[in-house]
Amino acid sequence: MSFAYVDDSGTPNLSYRGSVLTYSDTQLALWARNPEGGLVKAISSHPEVALLYGDINPPKSFLTFRGRGRIDSTEAVRRRVYDESPELERNADKDRKGIAIIIDLKSVHGLAAGERLQMVAK
């Protein structure tokens, strides 16, 4: 997924994230391998984020997720996010030095399996 965030200088950034997963009905999560990286630093002061998912194979899916990111350092959350991340991502951080980021979703819009989808948090 493409992940958009704003860094401390106010600059928008885009990056690909291979570990984004569904955490709950209203949350996404990801494992950030570099605990000193730009995304981790930015989330603390600029938690508003957006993610973009696209699949051109029928039935097409294009979704935009918007929400607030936060670091969760509790061991149970770290373990779950790491364990549920793809093997390729886990292999890149075998010592689990990364950080679990939870995204509390505000909205999801787009097409899912060819059908219009809209979710707005209350």
Side-chain angles (χ1 to χ4, degrees):
M1 291 182 79
S2 297
F3 194 101
Y5 63 96
V6 175
D7 66 23
D8 285 340
S9 71
T11 303
N13 290 269
L14 281 172
S15 63
Y16 285 110
R17 297 292 164 164
S19 64
V20 177
L21 54 103
T22 302
Y23 194 74
S24 76
D25 288 346
T26 59
Q27 296 173 309
L28 298 175
L30 69 92
W31 185 256
R33 294 187 308 253
N34 182 358
E36 304 297 320
L39 171 59
V40 174
K41 290 177 183 175
I43 289 287
S44 298
S45 55
H46 301 284
E48 298 294 326
V49 299
L51 295 91
L52 182 64
Y53 172 81
D55 185 354
I56 61 172
N57 296 311
K60 296 177 182 178
S61 294
F62 300 99
L63 297 168
T64 301
F65 301 84
R66 290 184 179 90
R68 293 179 61 86
R70 59 185 170 81
I71 295 165
D72 193 319
S73 299
T74 60
E75 187 55 31
V77 171
R78 290 185 79 247
R79 171 62 63 190
R80 178 178 168 195
V81 173
Y82 180 85
D83 288 348
E84 292 182 17
S85 293
E87 183 178 2
L88 182 67
E89 291 293 321
R90 291 191 316 268
N91 286 342
D93 187 11
K94 290 184 180 185
D95 294 330
R96 286 187 47 216
K97 293 184 179 182
I99 299 285
I101 297 176
I102 304 297
I103 298 105
D104 298 308
L105 294 172
K106 291 183 172 184
S107 67
V108 182
H109 295 95
L111 290 175
E115 299 291 325
R116 280 238 163 267
L117 176 100
Q118 179 173 321
M119 185 277 301
V120 178
K122 294 181 180 185

